[in-house]
Amino acid sequence: QSEKLLALAKGFLKFQMGMDPKADLVLADKLQAITFEFTLADGSMPDFKNRIEYSILETTQKLQQLDLKKNRFQYLPSLVAFGSFSYNASRSDFDLFDTDKKWYPTSLIGAKISMPVFDGLQKRSRIQQSKLNLEKIKNGFTALEQGLTLESMKAQTDMANSLAALEAQRKNRELANDVVRTARIKYEQGVGSNLEVISAETDLRDAETNYYAALYQALVAQTDLQKAKGTLLKDY
């Protein structure tokens, strides 16, 4: 069952990464090599500009600034120049390719200027709306930064709690190992029962299961913290 679940987990990971399901995937990381470097009192702030939400808001702000500029330009006069040049045979005979007969040139050149006078204050209303949208986006930056800061604070707290739980489960696993070792020695010396050994080994398996569950939660908390601080892509 564990081998089947492992194969299924690898298949799901390939799907999440956009890999070919038939491609070979080798996991290089080892549980023994996992380390957690974290200090709750580091006081570091999240890197807002590395968050996709911040980038989207920046793009929206640039588009709104362009919209405001476009509406302001509508107050400017427009000047259009035009011209044309052509030849006309000015005859009814179909001898257009006769080089001995004359063609008459016609040319036209001109310019047109448009000056906006009054449009019922439509342009003014659009400009005011664009300014209001920019103010909303500005307030959106403040709200986003506050939200990301709170998210980072929560992630740091979750990370601290996860590490505390992991340390507790590590000590429980060590204690369960000692109990099993003691129970086996007692059984070998004839002062303990086989039931005591089986019970100790069962407790050890439970302790190991709880330890790996706590380790998994710590890894999830670490990923959430890296995401909250905007360093997830840098770390990987």
Side-chain angles (χ1 to χ4, degrees), residues 176 179-180 183-184 187 192-206:
V179 172
V180 169
R184 287 174 179 172
Y187 178 74
S193 65
N194 184 43
L195 182 60
E196 184 180 356
V197 175
I198 294 176
S199 177
E201 289 177 345
T202 301
D203 291 340
L204 175 59
R205 285 194 293 270
D206 291 340

Side-chain angles (χ1 to χ4, degrees), residues 27-146:
L27 302 179
D29 294 335
K30 302 294 182 182
L31 288 179
Q32 295 82 356
I34 294 177
T35 58
F36 297 97
E37 297 180 1
F38 170 74
T39 302
L40 184 60
D42 60 1
S44 59
M45 295 296 293
D47 191 352
F48 302 124
K49 293 187 177 180
N50 285 337
R51 293 294 298 265
I52 185 63
E53 301 94 329
Y54 198 89
S55 299
I56 292 175
L57 203 56
E58 284 184 325
T59 302
T60 304
Q61 184 184 46
K62 291 178 182 178
L63 292 175
Q64 193 59 51
Q65 289 172 344
L66 291 175
D67 184 72
L68 176 60
K69 185 181 294 185
K70 179 198 71 173
N71 291 328
R72 284 175 172 171
F73 281 167
Q74 292 181 0
Y75 278 109
L76 300 177
S78 61
L79 176 64
V80 178
F82 56 90
S84 66
F85 184 81
S86 62
Y87 279 96
N88 196 325
S90 297
R91 56 182 177 269
S92 58
D93 298 332
F94 192 76
D95 52 0
L96 304 179
F97 301 101
D98 189 347
T99 57
D100 294 332
K101 293 186 177 181
K102 187 176 180 181
W103 285 68
Y104 302 94
T106 302
S107 60
L108 173 67
I109 189 172
K112 177 182 177 182
I113 185 170
S114 299
M115 178 70 72
V117 179
F118 184 72
D119 62 348
L121 302 179
Q122 292 183 9
K123 288 190 286 291
R124 181 178 179 276
S125 297
R126 286 193 290 266
I127 290 176
Q128 293 299 323
Q129 183 63 46
S130 296
K131 290 181 178 180
L132 180 60
N133 291 337
L134 281 174
E135 286 298 320
K136 290 181 179 179
I137 294 174
K138 183 179 178 180
N139 294 335
F141 275 109
T142 302
L144 179 61
E145 291 176 0
Q146 292 175 349

